[in-house]
Amino acid sequence: MLSNIPFSLLELAPMQKGSTVSETINKSTQYAQKADELGFNRFWLAEHHNMPGIICAATSILVGHIAGKTKRIRVGSGGIMLPNHSTLVVAEQFGTLESLYPNRIDLGLGRAPGSDQVTSHALNSDMRRAERFPEEVQELQKLLGPYDGTHPVRAIPGENTNVPIWLLGSSLFSAQLAAKKGLPYVFAGHFAPHFLKEAVALYRREFTPSSTLKKPYFMLALPVVAADSDEEAQYLSSTSKQRVLALMRGQELWLQAPVESMAGKWSPQEKAQVDNFLSLSVIGSPETIKSKLETIVEELVVDEFIFTNDLYDSEKRHHALEILMAIKK
């Protein structure tokens, strides 16, 4: 069942405390190269701002860097938070990337700020930009498409590169918009599990074929912790639990070493909140991971998976990729 489903990766460039930005980006690059070597389909980079421990603010620059250091894998944004940027600048940046790396660039778009309210205001003082998301998606489609002879502003480069646009979401809004526009849709199950079933059902039910997509294409983002045994995977998963706990407390988000037990690190209420946040996590041995993913595919008709894989140790992180690709055989 999994053999025909592409596996992809979503990267936040996680940083250990005491490390440097250069070291962190180098690790992400090596991680992408491992994914490229193993046959993963896409490597997408998120956009987050003002978050110590997450080094992916300049998303388009990282996309270009990773594309230049890999050979085959598609590289893109997961995603560009459109309210933070001019549509023309996004079109020019991704048009340039597509020109440099033909048929390897994806443009995933979101309408959240990817930051707190104060930082969002620093990025863009117009707090109503998110309300214009549908119109700005359409504007991007025009800027990246063929020139129609009437558009007063043209993306040079960008025009007629037709960079594939994906809509990312964690609620019903983007699912409905993706369906209306006939675009591929990605649900952010790695941090917002609540509306998953409703969003997928809405997207498939209301999908309208377009010039770019004839039938619905749904990609699900999931947190994964793959190891040789269930016990080791549970141990390694404490890294992501510590990060989510820090996020909920408003603390810095450094990548923490795994711990044998989370007891004493959180209150019962905080544990419940973290468990809820990570409720779609796929944690375990190869056999456990395979079984869980097959169940998800059967329930939701997933066309592609994109995984977050936030492990502290780089060797363990790379080995998790080997496990994921092995279960497809």
Side-chain angles (χ1 to χ4, degrees):
M1 183 187 297
L2 297 176
S3 59
N4 297 322
I5 296 178
F7 282 6
S8 296
L9 298 171
L10 175 61
E11 173 72 338
L12 279 69
M15 184 174 178
Q16 298 176 6
K17 193 166 187 178
S19 185
T20 68
V21 171
S22 296
E23 290 167 347
T24 301
I25 293 175
N26 186 48
K27 285 183 178 180
S28 291
T29 303
Q30 293 172 350
Y31 178 59
Q33 291 169 333
K34 181 69 173 182
D36 191 25
E37 171 192 323
L38 290 172
F40 279 80
N41 193 36
R42 308 175 203 276
F43 190 91
W44 284 6
L45 294 125
E47 177 186 343
H48 292 289
H49 301 275
N50 193 27
M51 292 185 178
I54 294 180
I55 311 301
C56 58
T59 310
S60 59
I61 294 176
L62 289 178
V63 169
H65 173 73
I66 295 296
K69 295 291 185 178
T70 51
K71 299 177 180 178
R72 176 207 55 82
I73 197 168
R74 295 191 66 88
V75 187
S77 58
I80 291 294
M81 300 295 104
L82 201 50
N84 297 338
H85 309 278
S86 155
T87 54
L88 177 60
V89 171
V90 173
E92 290 170 341
Q93 289 176 344
F94 278 78
T96 300
L97 288 167
E98 173 62 26
S99 300
L100 289 169
Y101 310 103
N103 302 312
R104 289 186 57 209
I105 302 298
D106 294 324
L107 175 54
L109 299 172
R111 68 185 184 108
S115 60
D116 57 85
Q117 287 189 346
V118 174
T119 307
S120 179
H121 189 270
L123 289 162
N124 173 32
S125 60
D126 183 359
M127 303 306 290
R128 296 172 296 177
R129 277 284 302 279
E131 298 173 11
R132 300 199 295 271
F133 184 69
E135 291 76 19
E136 294 193 345
V137 170
Q138 184 174 354
E139 179 75 9
L140 260 177
Q141 289 178 301
K142 288 182 179 179
L143 289 167
L144 292 169
Y147 181 54
D148 61 8
T150 63
H151 207 51
V153 178
R154 300 166 65 178
I156 309 295
E159 184 176 282
N160 206 31
T161 54
N162 300 295
V163 178
I165 290 176
W166 296 67
L167 295 191
L168 286 59
S170 57
S171 66
L172 303 183
F173 181 91
S174 290
Q176 189 169 41
L177 182 61
K180 180 180 178 181
K181 288 187 167 293
L183 292 171
Y185 174 62
V186 189
F187 186 85
H190 60 298
F191 71 84
H194 305 295
F195 294 104
L196 171 58
K197 292 183 179 179
E198 294 92 331
V200 178
L202 174 64
Y203 173 63
R204 293 196 180 279
R205 183 175 67 248
E206 298 192 6
F207 182 85
T208 302
S210 67
S211 59
T212 57
L213 196 62
K214 301 305 178 186
K215 61 180 182 179
Y217 194 92
F218 168 59
M219 181 155 64
L220 176 58
L222 291 177
V224 66
V225 181
D228 291 328
S229 68
D230 288 341
E231 293 75 17
E232 183 186 11
Q234 288 296 333
Y235 166 68
L236 296 176
S237 73
S238 62
T239 289
S240 57
K241 291 175 183 176
Q242 290 178 83
R243 168 179 274 176
V244 174
L245 180 62
L247 176 67
M248 292 178 172
R249 290 175 172 176
Q251 299 172 343
E252 296 180 344
L253 304 179
W254 306 107
L255 199 65
Q256 301 287 337
V259 293
E260 291 293 343
S261 173
M262 290 290 292
K265 288 186 173 291
W266 53 16
S267 68
Q269 182 181 10
E270 287 175 327
K271 180 183 184 303
Q273 291 174 327
V274 172
D275 288 345
N276 186 49
F277 188 103
L278 296 171
S279 63
L280 292 177
S281 294
V282 179
I283 302 169
S285 64
E287 296 78 13
T288 300
I289 296 282
K290 183 175 184 178
S291 176
K292 289 182 178 180
L293 291 179
E294 286 177 342
T295 298
I296 292 171
V297 170
E298 187 173 346
E299 290 180 356
L300 298 174
V301 194
V302 177
D303 295 299
E304 184 168 348
F305 284 111
I306 186 165
F307 301 109
T308 57
N309 176 34
D310 287 338
L311 300 186
Y312 185 79
D313 183 272
S314 292
E315 289 187 10
K316 298 287 187 182
R317 201 176 190 218
H318 289 198
H319 183 50
L321 299 188
E322 295 171 342
I323 291 172
L324 285 171
M325 294 310 289
I327 68 174
K328 286 171 59 67
K329 297 177 182 178

